[in-house]
Amino acid sequence: MKTVYILGAGFSVEAGAPTQAAIIPQAFKLYETNSSYFDKKRFSEFTNFIKEQLAIPEERFSNIALEDIFTPLDRCLSENSQFRGVSLDNIMRIRESVFYVVGRTIQILLNNTDKSKDYINDFAEYLTKLSSVRAHENYRSKDPVSVISANWDILLDNSIHQFILRKDCYDAVVDYCCYISSRDENDSSVKPGLEKLGQGGFNVKLLKLHGSLNWLQCPRCARLYAKFSSKEAINNFAEKTSCRHCDKNFPEEDGNHLLAANLIMPTYIKDLSNPQYKIVWQNAGIEISEAEKIVFIGYSLPSADFEMRQLLSRMTRKNVKIHVVDYCEEDSQGNVKSHWRSFFGARDITFSFDGAKTYIDNLVNES
Ligand SMILES: [Zn+2]
């Protein structure tokens, strides 16, 4: 029986991560509490854009939705058009600043939370143990589990990575299911999954549909670089680094291939043309098509997420078992149920409404 877990923001909330709607209000709250949390120049680029271009008055700043910030920016970039007098170069920069504020806010909240991420560690251990049957070249016949995540945070990524490092018996990698290079040249704990399987080890599959805070991409060769236990995409704003492969291949331009964060932001016109994201999305489709059971944790299947909806509607088996883990009071459970039933029709759907932590505690205890 193959199970695919699909995670949304609700998966990380009980460990202290913000929901998407809370990111902008939280950013302003943090800046008010302690402005030294942020790079001042970046933060004021972000607020100026909201004030000047979007014409939102200051008292309404914290109500603005990420979609309304990113959709016009991304549309202008994809059409090569300027936005209300702002040149393309500046749009790129503003986009980076908004991205910086978003990523930094998640980072600060997770660093300062008093909530425990034990349940995420438990889930990481559970996934790694299940995946270990693929070792010793058994991967052709065994493929019990994978995770597809819509989240940028790296709570689960780090938990899996640390569990593998702690256990000498596991020769494994976190497999982002695209071609990934290690950020530090000598870091052997970051390897493509296929390479690890070929060596007799195994992979724990974690497909991140919207990118990851620990990924950086080379603008020239499109290689993705990853590092664990570090939110690279945010740290990169302070200290830019260059693609070591391109620097070697094009020595006349040494240092000119600055790595950049490249997350998929919430917009109504997501740009998934990036070659690495195409691979991740294609592989996610394959995982879904192979699933006999799909468990959604903290994911609400919103209408704006139409790429995910079309992927599910194209690739989900008719006889798949679906379980939805949400966190809500009894009076809204009926609406949640009909929302999912109207999407998946006659398929077998079950629900639990006590949140991710309770669900994972039970899952681990039963295993
Ligand atoms: Zn490169």
Side-chain angles (χ1 to χ4, degrees), residues 180-206:
I180 206 114
S181 307
S182 63
R183 181 82 160 73
D184 302 325
E185 198 165 356
N186 300 319
D187 179 1
S188 62
S189 70
V190 177
K191 267 196 185 122
L194 288 176
E195 191 178 327
K196 189 50 90 181
L197 290 168
Q199 294 165 347
F202 67 94
N203 57 344
V204 185
K205 291 190 259 186
L206 175 55

Side-chain angles (χ1 to χ4, degrees), residues 60 70 82 94 109 116 148 155 160-161 187 204 235 240 263 267 272 283 295 300:
R60 292 229 189 114
F70 279 106
Q82 54 158 247
I94 292 168
L109 290 173
S116 161
I148 297 172
L155 291 168
I160 299 170
H161 184 250
D187 179 1
V204 185
N235 299 337
K240 294 246 181 208
L263 301 188
T267 74
L272 302 173
N283 281 325
V295 181
S300 62

Side-chain angles (χ1 to χ4, degrees), residues 85-364:
V86 182
S87 69
L88 275 179
D89 275 3
N90 270 328
I91 291 177
M92 284 292 281
R93 210 183 142 75
I94 292 168
R95 193 179 183 283
E96 261 191 40
S97 293
V98 184
F99 162 65
Y100 163 80
V101 171
V102 168
R104 183 77 184 121
T105 302
I106 298 175
Q107 187 182 35
I108 299 165
L109 290 173
L110 286 176
N111 284 346
N112 295 336
T113 184
D114 51 8
K115 292 182 178 160
S116 161
K117 65 171 279 198
D118 284 353
Y119 72 97
I120 295 182
N121 290 333
D122 292 344
F123 191 45
E125 188 174 331
Y126 174 82
L127 294 169
T128 308
K129 283 181 177 161
L130 262 184
S131 304
S132 67
V133 296
R134 286 163 66 75
H136 313 299
E137 301 192 11
N138 283 320
Y139 59 91
R140 283 183 197 86
S141 57
K142 288 180 175 146
D143 189 14
V145 70
S146 65
V147 178
I148 297 172
S149 173
N151 300 339
W152 300 311
D153 74 68
I154 52 172
L155 291 168
L156 182 61
D157 321 35
N158 279 340
S159 292
I160 299 170
H161 184 250
Q162 280 158 15
F163 181 68
I164 292 169
L165 288 185
R166 273 207 314 277
K167 294 276 168 180
D168 285 340
C169 54
Y170 289 143
D171 179 22
V173 287
V174 175
D175 187 359
Y176 286 125
C177 297
C178 57
Y179 198 87
I180 206 114
S181 307
S182 63
R183 181 82 160 73
D184 302 325
E185 198 165 356
N186 300 319
D187 179 1
S188 62
S189 70
V190 177
K191 267 196 185 122
L194 288 176
E195 191 178 327
K196 189 50 90 181
L197 290 168
Q199 294 165 347
F202 67 94
N203 57 344
V204 185
K205 291 190 259 186
L206 175 55
L207 295 86
K208 300 191 82 171
L209 298 175
H210 300 147
S212 189
L213 285 172
N214 63 338
W215 291 1
L216 288 173
Q217 191 168 33
C218 171
R220 182 160 192 163
C221 67
R223 274 188 179 84
L224 272 187
Y225 288 88
K227 185 178 171 178
F228 290 94
S229 304
S230 156
K231 297 201 172 55
E232 278 299 298
I234 299 308
N235 299 337
N236 188 55
F237 283 97
E239 205 179 316
K240 294 246 181 208
T241 42
S242 192
C243 172
R244 64 169 180 271
H245 293 282
C246 285
D247 284 350
K248 198 171 110 198
N249 297 332
F250 310 101
E252 66 283 6
E253 301 160 22
D254 191 7
N256 259 343
H257 312 100
L258 294 182
L259 303 181
N262 198 349
L263 301 188
I264 305 286
M265 285 292 161
T267 74
Y268 297 110
I269 41 148
K270 290 192 186 69
D271 179 10
L272 302 173
S273 61
N274 187 306
Q276 299 285 3
Y277 284 108
K278 278 193 172 158
I279 297 173
V280 174
W281 278 78
Q282 186 208 345
N283 281 325
I286 293 171
E287 293 300 322
I288 291 167
S289 71
E290 291 172 349
E292 288 149 276
K293 184 174 180 186
I294 301 180
V295 181
F296 294 90
I297 308 182
Y299 179 74
S300 62
L301 195 69
S303 311
D305 218 351
F306 59 87
E307 287 93 352
M308 185 62 190
R309 291 169 71 103
Q310 63 85 15
L311 194 71
L312 286 167
S313 104
R314 277 170 47 220
M315 305 307 272
T316 310
R317 291 183 183 183
K318 278 208 167 120
N319 59 354
V320 71
K321 285 189 175 359
I322 292 169
H323 187 72
V324 176
V325 182
D326 201 337
Y327 195 93
C328 64
E329 300 294 333
E330 227 174 306
D331 51 356
S332 47
Q333 291 174 7
N335 283 340
V336 173
K337 284 182 181 170
S338 59
H339 173 64
W340 287 90
R341 291 214 167 102
S342 67
F343 187 83
F344 280 114
R347 292 182 181 89
D348 177 8
I349 312 186
T350 51
F351 296 86
S352 52
F353 290 111
D354 306 316
K357 186 182 175 308
T358 305
Y359 176 78
I360 289 166
D361 288 348
N362 292 334
L363 180 76
V364 172

Side-chain angles (χ1 to χ4, degrees), residues 21-75:
I23 291 176
I24 298 292
Q26 286 285 1
F28 284 106
K29 211 184 269 175
L30 288 169
Y31 192 76
E32 241 167 63
T33 324
N34 184 354
S35 65
S36 70
Y37 276 140
F38 295 91
D39 177 305
K40 283 212 171 60
K41 203 163 154 238
R42 289 276 179 196
F43 201 89
S44 64
E45 258 169 356
F46 158 72
T47 47
N48 280 343
F49 174 73
I50 301 180
K51 206 186 316 186
E52 308 295 333
Q53 267 74 43
L54 300 181
I56 312 280
E58 209 158 326
E59 65 273 17
R60 292 229 189 114
F61 272 10
S62 61
N63 294 329
I64 189 163
L66 278 179
E67 284 88 347
D68 291 329
I69 301 179
F70 279 106
T71 306
L73 289 177
D74 283 11
R75 186 64 171 247

